[in-house]
Amino acid sequence: KQLAARFGVPASRSTVIPHGDYAFAGLANQPGPEEARSRLGLPPSGRVLLCFGALREYKGIPDLIRAFARAPIRNSKAFLLIVGKPAGLDPRELQRLLDDQGLSGRSLLRAEYVPFDEIGVYFRAADAVVLPYRGITQSGALQLAYAFEKPVIVTRVGALPETVDEGGNGFIVPPA
């Protein structure tokens, strides 16, 4: 639809190719959850929610921080882990928002590139992956979550809802 709208290409001349899976990155040779949390300096108990990928404006990370601070899990041991290379979002602003929302002891921002062979540690440490995009067509981080057998919470944008079995492998929420 976007191709047709932007460039006038008729649907009859278009083919949709689904995003490939990342099963090759999966569970083989990865640490267990306890070891992964220990390596990352995360609490050994409680739920860890992971937001993974380049830190970009359209990914809605400030929305996630505000929602996490307001959620009924506020007094629980839930922990928010945000990991990715800065690409348009200032990590100092994100850290300031985490602090302003009272999340300094319940969150960790790792604003850095993660080499491929270290990605598994983050996904193994997490209980679920949160992708709060404001707009996107598809997501490699979503496919990584599935490769590591993690449930997801995604926003209803682009083709993300097509891959989520609501209540099965994840949940779908409105953007923002």
Side-chain angles (χ1 to χ4, degrees):
K1 289 178 185 175
Q2 289 179 7
L3 185 65
R6 285 188 187 165
F7 302 105
V9 176
S12 62
R13 298 203 52 217
S14 301
T15 300
V16 174
I17 302 171
H19 196 298
D21 72 34
Y22 288 175
F24 62 86
L27 299 171
N29 303 315
Q30 297 296 332
E34 297 81 18
E35 182 184 338
R37 286 184 182 198
S38 175
R39 282 192 205 175
L40 298 172
L42 301 178
S45 62
R47 302 282 185 205
V48 174
L49 301 179
L50 171 64
C51 180
F52 187 90
L55 305 178
R56 297 182 185 277
E57 184 66 34
Y58 70 85
K59 292 192 175 185
I61 297 167
D63 300 333
L64 170 60
I65 293 169
R66 289 185 197 97
F68 189 80
R70 287 191 319 262
I73 58 175
R74 183 171 182 87
N75 296 322
S76 75
K77 293 181 180 179
F79 195 89
L80 179 60
L81 178 58
I82 302 170
V83 181
K85 180 180 178 182
L89 283 181
D90 184 344
R92 294 169 298 192
E93 290 297 320
L94 292 176
Q95 187 60 58
R96 203 168 1 261
L97 182 57
L98 286 164
D99 295 342
D100 290 349
Q101 294 291 316
L103 297 175
S104 13
R106 295 186 39 238
S107 64
L108 176 62
L109 171 64
R110 287 261 170 100
E112 59 194 32
Y113 171 78
V114 178
F116 182 77
D117 61 342
E118 296 175 23
I119 290 173
V121 175
Y122 292 96
F123 281 87
R124 292 292 287 153
D127 292 291
V129 175
V130 184
L131 303 171
Y133 299 146
R134 293 175 179 163
I136 196 165
T137 52
Q138 195 45 273
S139 167
L142 176 65
Q143 298 306 319
L144 279 169
Y146 290 153
F148 286 97
E149 300 178 349
K150 299 298 174 181
V152 297
I153 302 168
V154 303
T155 46
R156 189 175 303 285
V157 296
L160 298 184
E162 294 174 14
T163 66
V164 177
D165 173 24
E166 182 81 25
N169 65 355
F171 294 96
I172 305 165
V173 299

